[in-house]
Amino acid sequence: EDKVVQSPLSLVVHEGDTVTLNCSYEVTNFRSLLWYKQEKKAPTFLFMLTSSGIEKKSGRLSSILDKKELFSILNITATQTGDSAVYLCAVDTHNTDKLIFGTGTRLQVFP
Amino acid sequence: GAVVSQHPSWVICKSGTSVKIECRSLDFQATTMFWYRQFPKQSLMLMATSNEGSKATYEQGVEKDKFLINHASLTLSTLTVTSAHPEDSSFYICSAPIWTSGKKINTGELFFGEGSRLTVL
């Protein structure tokens, strides 16, 4: 059975801290791994990763994929209160179009 | 860019009634839509895949007769929660694969609707 697991489940930090969110997966016919940020409603797209070792970066956020060890990390540097959200990792396979979502990591950033 | 419109955003209903949630693709044709359910502080759980012109594909453990899905056109998919009960209270969200220039992009990235929060009293 395809599985995506995220850790930690929740994280509480102060503004300015750096955080690392983890996502590991076990799926057949892996195609891509995606990170989403969910605040109150719909998830918003952050990154899509298909190749190992190539860092994707957007401002203070960055992510990298390791297809050998089957995991990805999402880094957020100099966190701000606006980073508070649930971060979802999802994996796409060649089998279907549907995404398999992980459990999510709830990040809370306090001033 | 392409957008998925979902409504209602909020719905409160009495136990035993049915509730319909609509999901429309704007500016593109969605032959496939995915319906997810999310309980508080939990992740998105795929309920079913809606296919235009054919029957929906339900995930294991999801009651087909309880959650009726209809995808009658290339731009509209509906989820009807029949005879709703308090345990059906949840956040329901639809999504569609990304399209650009009239073609589906097989990257796994999805357009999400805004979601519908259902509260059954």
Side-chain angles (χ1 to χ4, degrees), chain B residues 3 8 19 26 28 31 37 46 54 56 58 61 63 75 85 95 97 101 107 113 121:
Chain B
V3 172
V19 174
L26 307 180
F28 72 102
T31 56
R37 180 175 184 176
L46 181 65
S54 65
Y58 289 81
E63 297 176 60
T75 58
H85 287 92
S95 66
S101 301
T107 63
L121 302 176

Side-chain angles (χ1 to χ4, degrees), chain B residues 20-110:
Chain B
K20 181 187 281 188
I21 300 169
E22 293 189 349
C23 188
R24 293 181 185 273
S25 58
L26 307 180
D27 300 327
F28 72 102
Q29 295 178 333
T31 56
T32 302
M33 282 195 180
F34 303 103
W35 286 93
Y36 289 88
R37 180 175 184 176
Q38 187 176 35
F39 289 107
K41 298 186 179 181
Q42 294 188 24
S43 189
L44 296 174
M45 185 185 76
L46 181 65
M47 298 174 66
T49 302
S50 162
N51 303 297
E52 187 271 332
S54 65
K55 290 183 180 180
T57 305
Y58 289 81
E59 296 300 302
Q60 194 172 6
V62 178
E63 297 176 60
K64 301 178 184 181
D65 296 332
K66 174 85 175 161
F67 300 100
L68 299 179
I69 289 174
N70 184 274
H71 196 147
S73 78
L74 286 169
T75 58
L76 175 64
S77 176
T78 61
L79 167 68
T80 301
V81 182
T82 62
S83 187
H85 287 92
E87 58 265 30
D88 298 323
S89 299
S90 188
F91 186 65
Y92 294 88
I93 190 165
C94 66
S95 66
I98 299 289
W99 284 67
T100 186
S101 301
K103 291 183 180 179
K104 183 162 71 75
I105 304 299
N106 290 322
T107 63
E109 188 181 347
L110 300 176

Side-chain angles (χ1 to χ4, degrees), chain A residues 6 31-32 34 36 38 40-45 48 86 88 92 97-104 106, chain B residues 9-10 32 34 36 38 41-44 46 49 59 91 93 97 104 106-110 112-114 117:
Chain A
Q6 290 183 246
R31 179 159 60 185
S32 63
L34 300 95
Y36 286 87
Q38 186 180 24
K40 292 184 179 178
K41 290 191 175 180
T44 53
F45 174 77
M48 184 184 70
V86 174
L88 297 167
D92 172 48
D97 286 330
K98 60 186 181 184
L99 292 182
I100 305 159
F101 279 88
T103 44
R106 180 173 296 275
Chain B
S9 299
W10 295 84
T32 302
F34 303 103
Y36 289 88
Q38 187 176 35
K41 298 186 179 181
Q42 294 188 24
S43 189
L44 296 174
L46 181 65
T49 302
E59 296 300 302
F91 186 65
I93 190 165
K104 183 162 71 75
N106 290 322
T107 63
E109 188 181 347
L110 300 176
F112 282 92
E114 286 296 300
R117 189 163 299 283

Side-chain angles (χ1 to χ4, degrees), chain A residues 44-111:
Chain A
T44 53
F45 174 77
L46 294 176
F47 298 111
M48 184 184 70
L49 304 155
T50 55
S51 302
S52 275
I54 299 175
E55 184 184 56
K56 293 263 180 121
K57 198 170 171 64
S58 175
R60 296 176 294 102
L61 276 67
S62 63
S63 183
I64 198 161
L65 173 68
D66 186 328
K67 289 168 74 173
K68 184 180 177 185
E69 300 298 328
L70 308 182
F71 78 91
S72 173
I73 59 172
L74 173 68
N75 278 320
I76 308 175
T77 58
T79 52
Q80 301 171 359
T81 54
D83 295 327
S84 297
V86 174
Y87 290 83
L88 297 167
C89 169
V91 172
D92 172 48
T93 72
H94 288 285
N95 302 332
T96 71
D97 286 330
K98 60 186 181 184
L99 292 182
I100 305 159
F101 279 88
T103 44
T105 293
R106 180 173 296 275
L107 173 65
Q108 292 177 277
V109 182
F110 287 97

